[in-house]
Amino acid sequence: MPADQALVRRANLSLVLRHLRERGPRSRAAVAAETGLNKTTVTSLVAELQARGLLKETGPQHEGAIGRPGLPLALDGSAVGALGVEVNVDYIAVFATDLGGRVLIDRRVSFDAMGCPAERTLTELDSVIRQASDGLRALGVHLAGITVAVPGLVDTGCGIVVVAPNLGWHNVPVAARLSGRAGQEGVELLAQAPITVDNDANLAALAEHTATGVSDLVYLTGEVGVGGGIIAGGRLLGGADGFAGEVGHVLVDPGGERCGCGRSGCWETKVGLAALIRKVSPEQAYGTPHQVLRDPEERLAELQLLRAAGEPGVEEALAEVGRWLGRGAATLVNLFNPRVIVLGGYFAQLAEALIPVAQEELERIGVAGSVARCRFVASGLGFGAASRGAAGVVVQRVLADPTLIAVRP
Amino acid sequence: MPADQALVRRANLSLVLRHLRERGPRSRAAVAAETGLNKTTVTSLVAELQARGLLKETGPQHEGAIGRPGLPLALDGSAVGALGVEVNVDYIAVFATDLGGRVLIDRRVSFDAMGCPAERTLTELDSVIRQASDGLRALGVHLAGITVAVPGLVDTGCGIVVVAPNLGWHNVPVAARLSGRAGQEGVELLAQAPITVDNDANLAALAEHTATGVSDLVYLTGEVGVGGGIIAGGRLLGGADGFAGEVGHVLVDPGGERCGCGRSGCWETKVGLAALIRKVSPEQAYGTPHQVLRDPEERLAELQLLRAAGEPGVEEALAEVGRWLGRGAATLVNLFNPRVIVLGGYFAQLAEALIPVAQEELERIGVAGSVARCRFVASGLGFGAASRGAAGVVVQRVLADPTLIAVRP
């Protein structure tokens, strides 16, 4: 086929597949009438989608008064799997669904990625991915793709992590290494499925968008670092290189403290977990964020205990972080005009203390029109948000190009 | 037709029209082969587009070796006009093209919109639009739509200017008033064409995108206020309410000067034209921006003269503005990852002094990956950028829905 016709064919395969996914089971005739494709074309597209294991006939049904009874078709994604894996400072999360959205894997393992070299973390990722692939294969599910979420700046085109400060990574070719293309020993997944890499907050933002249906949102993840993902008009804002949404190092206080990145006054120095811990335990004031946060979850648990015990200073420290959260969010609201700011990571766990203060500060500082219609909410997805979004990216990729799934033998 | 089929028809009319606009004249058979639409459908779509005066046959040509000679079709937008009007503090700009992009009107009239009530400005806008419409009609051009650019927060859905601080406007229903729907006396355009309203920097950003083809850019307009428009992935970033890109009141210096908006430390207090004038002429330090800038262009001309005369302090004032330009831009680059930051308004006129300092500061402050691939450039479109973008919006609307143009009698 000429290039143009192959493109048209792919777009039409996608159109039919998404139509059936969104509207539910219906006959070929209904698909033709509703999409404007002619019936012969629909018949041919359906045959190809069936051969690729993406559609099935669901048995005869009556279609009300509109037309003749047809043989309804439905999405059949049960044999096609999507895998999302998130590596963060102290855990690896794994999430897998089939094309229809059925959750097949949802788990998290502790792993000290902050404390070991990139090489060791890649080996662990490889092992986690192998194990998940094997598990899916045992369920009869073919893996259509893998997306890896990383807390850092990712060149999404090449699958290279340009820098992930809190993992200590610089220019790590994650996609190439995990698919065995880089030629090193030790890590040889050998392309069980195509691998892409993206920023964790971007992927979490996509997961929130899918879960809530909100078309304009900002997702903030509070960890050792502070990350952001932006959904604008229903799409992830990537920027020219996939680097958009780097909220952590936005300058919010020109006279402020030194940041781990070498600059001063970054938002992360005001609202990162290290900043909060330091305010509560000033004896830790001289460590780097990494020293302060060798085990972030344990630190957070300690803080919750101090708070429950009515320890002096904890509420004031939370209020101070809340104010800076609102102040930085005002910039985001002025620039992106989102409907909600979703708080993930540690922000979500302390949302009840942080949100009222942050919301008040946002309304005081932000441009009126936008802030009036924007509110903070805590993420309901927990630590699984990024891996869930990562699996969602694979699903979207298959829906956009069903020819990624091979015709069954 | 059922709703779905009408939608499909409209999408296909748009597809054929855009195809011919982008690829140039070609036969019905070529259009069918390249778009994947069947020939009968293309014939019917072409007939409708011809009836609406949007396509014409260009006479027989040979089509090389590929197929039979066909009768090539071409876009014929010569009878369809798009009008853009920009109101700013001291001028009204008017720009009109036909659907093919031929420039029909490009002019600017001085008008002191800052110094008179909204009512008076609307009357003037009405008069300018009438005059333009009459001029186009004399050329045989039917006006498909009008877009009005305003330096303020615009509810684009309703065509209401929520607030335009430097015009002194609050909740001015521009679209309703100019189309005679608001029922007031004096202003009665009576819907010669549909009217939409948008922010001036947004529209200028669209014009820059069209002119340069860059898919990720930030447009900054330096005037009495500082406005921003963001193109992300080839689309204007509107946000949930059309309010996105409000860069002027981003907090850049928590301890900074008071802004006209009532807050302190807004970016506008560092890089707005009033800030620059004050640094050069400290005797004006106590006026409001409006008092300082009763006639901004004259002030700018004075400043250029002082600079040419080697007046002490001018270069340092420009460097200070340049540094703050770079500092605020770093936030925009971290968040949007654009390929270029286009400087419009007074920034463009002083670009040669501002850009080197701003670029250096941007590279010092911004996140490395993004700033390495982003540079400041001066807009080449001058003061006409917003009105040009406004006309472009009308053209895009017709291309997206050719049924907006009535079938010719």
Side-chain angles (χ1 to χ4, degrees), chain B residues 149-176:
Chain B
V150 179
L153 217 56
V154 179
D155 185 329
T156 51
C158 316
I160 293 172
V161 176
V162 178
V163 55
N166 297 317
L167 300 180
W169 289 13
H170 287 89
N171 294 315
V172 177
V174 174

Side-chain angles (χ1 to χ4, degrees), chain A residues 167-256:
Chain A
L167 299 180
W169 289 12
H170 287 89
N171 293 315
V172 178
V174 174
R177 296 302 310 283
L178 289 178
S179 55
R181 281 183 282 117
Q184 279 97 335
E185 306 255 326
V187 178
E188 290 180 27
L189 189 66
L190 290 173
Q192 296 188 5
I195 293 185
T196 58
V197 186
D198 206 337
N199 171 272
D200 61 343
N202 282 353
L203 294 167
L206 279 172
E208 283 290 341
H209 169 57
T210 303
T212 63
V214 176
S215 299
D216 294 273
L217 66 83
V218 171
Y219 180 91
L220 297 177
T221 175
E223 315 271 354
V224 176
V226 173
I230 290 117
I231 303 290
R235 301 197 311 179
L236 179 68
L237 187 90
D241 310 291
F243 297 163
E246 270 297 311
V247 301
H249 302 287
V250 161
L251 177 69
V252 295
D253 184 6

Side-chain angles (χ1 to χ4, degrees), chain B residues 16-38:
Chain B
V16 170
L17 191 60
R18 285 181 289 120
H19 192 78
L20 285 162
R21 184 170 189 260
E22 282 155 27
R23 306 282 195 96
R26 59 235 295 118
S27 68
R28 290 168 180 78
V31 170
E34 291 161 359
T35 61
L37 295 167
N38 72 50

